[in-house]
Every structure is written in C-alpha cells, then in structure tokens.
C-alpha cells in the first residue's frame, strides 16, 4: 500500500515539475515532493523492519522486554521484581497489556523525555509500559496471561509470594 502511494506521489511530483506539460507548479511540487520523501522514509523503515527476525516480546523468569510499541521498544528490559501490577487497557482499536513498575528512577535514563512523560505517573511514582498483541499473532487476553504467568513464576523463583 505504501509503495502504491509512493508511485502516485511520484507521478504527481513529476507532473508538478512540468515533465508532462512543460509548466512548473512550485507549491504543489514542494508539497508532493515532501510527502513523497516522508512516504519513502516510512516505506524503507518498514521494509528494514521486515528483516528483523528477533522476538517481538521476550519473557523469562528474570526480565521482560518487547518491541510492539515505541514506548516498549525504547524502554528495553524490565525486572519482574519492580512490577506492581499488570492490566489490560483498551486504547483506540487495540487492547494493550500495561505493566506497572515501581522504582521509576532506575529506568529514567532509558526513555526520551516525551516517552517518559507518557509512561510516568507522578502521583504514584510508577511507570506504565504498554505492550500490544496486535503486532504478534496472539490475542491480548493470551498475552496478558503470559505476562501474568511469568510474573507469578518470577515471584516463586525469588521467594516472594
């Protein structure tokens, strides 16, 4: 779909620079050229991400990490011992698994300022990291169950009940 949009934008750009009728249309050429550039960057980025064969979400007894949302990707790996809650939250057309973490100061240097403001809840001094099941081939309830089972497993491993 992105490729088709790029082709259409390229044709519009070529028309605006006068390739077909010899008449230069500056404003539409600038607009279509800018839109084409943005779409090409997005297309290349998505094509490069197809080559990434690593797991979208990693869960084990000691940590969890994921790349299903920009926030989760920037956050990296979190420790199960800092988890205080795991919930499902409906956001737009997607249901996200939200992992709430204490000791937010331990994770502050991982996130850019904008993402930190999205994740940090000042009243409770906790971080909310969101993971989406829509990127992988399971339902959000199943992903929630996996997060819960690994969290419970990590509590047993560390002796916390």
């Amino acid at each position: 779909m992105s490729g088709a949009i790029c082709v259409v934008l390229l044709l519009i750009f070529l028309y605006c620079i006068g390739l077909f009728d010899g008449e230069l249309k500056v404003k539409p050429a600038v607009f279509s050229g800018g839109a084409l550039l943005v779409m090409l960057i997005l297309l290349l980025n998505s094509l490069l991400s197809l080559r990434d064969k690593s797991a979208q979400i990693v869960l084990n007894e000691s940590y969890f990490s994921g790349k299903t949302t920009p926030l989760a990707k920037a956050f990296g790996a979190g420790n199960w011992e800092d988890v205080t809650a795991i919930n499902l939250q409906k956001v737009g057309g997607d249901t996200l698994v939200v992992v709430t973490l204490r000791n937010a100061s331990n994770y502050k240097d991982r996130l850019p300022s904008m993402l930190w403001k999205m994740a940090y809840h000042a009243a409770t001094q906790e971080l909310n990291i969101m993971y989406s099941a829509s990127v992988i081939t399971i339902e959000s309830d199943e992903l929630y169950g996996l997060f819960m089972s690994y969290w419970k497993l990590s509590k047993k491993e560390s002796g916390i009940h």
Side-chain angles (χ1 to χ4, degrees), residues 57-59 63-66 69 71-72 75-89 96-102 107 118-121 126-132 143-144 146-148 151:
I57 293 181
V58 176
L59 303 170
Y63 72 91
F64 59 93
S65 68
T69 64
L71 177 62
F75 178 74
N79 297 322
W80 287 116
E81 62 206 27
D82 293 330
V83 175
T84 59
I86 300 174
N87 300 301
L88 283 175
Q89 181 178 350
L96 302 174
V97 175
V98 180
V99 179
T100 304
L101 300 158
R102 65 176 175 260
Y107 300 104
M118 288 174 48
Y120 184 65
H121 189 256
E126 293 178 324
L127 283 176
N128 293 313
I129 308 300
M130 300 171 197
Y131 298 88
S132 173
L143 182 60
Y144 172 75
L146 285 171
F147 267 91
M148 289 301 290
W151 185 30

Side-chain angles (χ1 to χ4, degrees), residues 88-127:
L88 283 175
Q89 181 178 350
K90 186 90 167 152
V91 177
D94 198 5
T95 302
L96 302 174
V97 175
V98 180
V99 179
T100 304
L101 300 158
R102 65 176 175 260
N103 299 328
S105 58
N106 293 348
Y107 300 104
K108 184 168 182 145
D109 60 339
R110 294 183 184 191
L111 296 172
S113 161
M114 183 181 79
L115 292 176
W116 177 261
K117 289 177 186 173
M118 288 174 48
Y120 184 65
H121 189 256
T124 60
Q125 296 185 353
E126 293 178 324
L127 283 176

